[in-house]
Amino acid sequence: MSKAIIEKPGLLVALIAVQLLCTAFFLWDVVEDFRSGAFSGASPVYATTEGLAALSLGLAVVVELHVLRGLTRRKAQLESQVSVASGALAEVIAAHFDTWNLTPAERDVALFAIKGFSIAETAQLRGAAEGTVKSQLNAVYRKADVQGRGALLGLLIDDLVASPLLNHEPR
């Protein structure tokens, strides 16, 4: 249920709208009971309880709206950070590829390796022989001065996290 609410905030908004209608109905009912004198013979505890219940429901709706607004803002902030991180990683990769003077074929093979594709999968996707892909990948490792895929990824990630992606002011 919570995943559905996160992915479809309209569902939460609809639930809040129903609660708001219920709150309005209960408050109207309490006001009408007081106006018509229906509480005159009833216990004051009953009238007070019904009024407090209606007000509590209204307060809950206000709190839910505040929480929803905060969650919506936080989601937008996280999406922005992911976008920045994605762009920053692409920039780090491109800068390293330029520094290493990778050929277009080596760049392709390196990107497939970074994405986790095997040599066989890369060869199939590029329409090349596995030996060719292996040779190109070894050239990438040599030019990057790393021993393998893990070291290549580590090098790129180290550069990515070496400096902050966004300058945030403390709240």
Side-chain angles (χ1 to χ4, degrees), residues 30 33-34 37-52:
V30 168
D33 286 348
F34 273 114
F39 283 135
S40 60
S43 158
V45 172
Y46 176 79
T48 303
T49 302
E50 189 175 17
L52 286 175

Side-chain angles (χ1 to χ4, degrees), residues 115-160:
K115 292 178 180 180
F117 288 91
S118 70
I119 290 173
E121 291 169 326
T122 302
Q124 183 181 9
L125 289 168
R126 297 198 73 242
E130 286 185 35
T132 302
V133 170
K134 194 178 285 188
S135 174
Q136 290 166 334
L137 197 51
N138 284 328
V140 170
Y141 296 152
R142 186 181 67 255
K143 290 178 180 182
D145 196 27
V146 295
Q147 295 300 311
R149 182 190 315 237
L152 179 66
L153 286 170
L155 178 67
L156 296 171
I157 297 300
D158 281 347
D159 279 0
L160 181 64

Side-chain angles (χ1 to χ4, degrees), residues 41-94:
S43 158
V45 172
Y46 176 79
T48 303
T49 302
E50 189 175 17
L52 286 175
L55 289 174
S56 297
L57 183 57
L59 180 61
V61 168
V62 169
V63 169
E64 288 170 353
L65 288 170
H66 179 74
V67 168
L68 179 61
R69 190 175 75 203
L71 287 173
T72 302
R73 285 181 181 162
R74 180 69 178 143
K75 181 182 175 197
Q77 180 186 28
L78 290 173
E79 287 173 348
S80 173
Q81 288 175 339
V82 166
S83 176
V84 168
S86 176
L89 180 58
E91 289 175 14
V92 165
I93 290 170

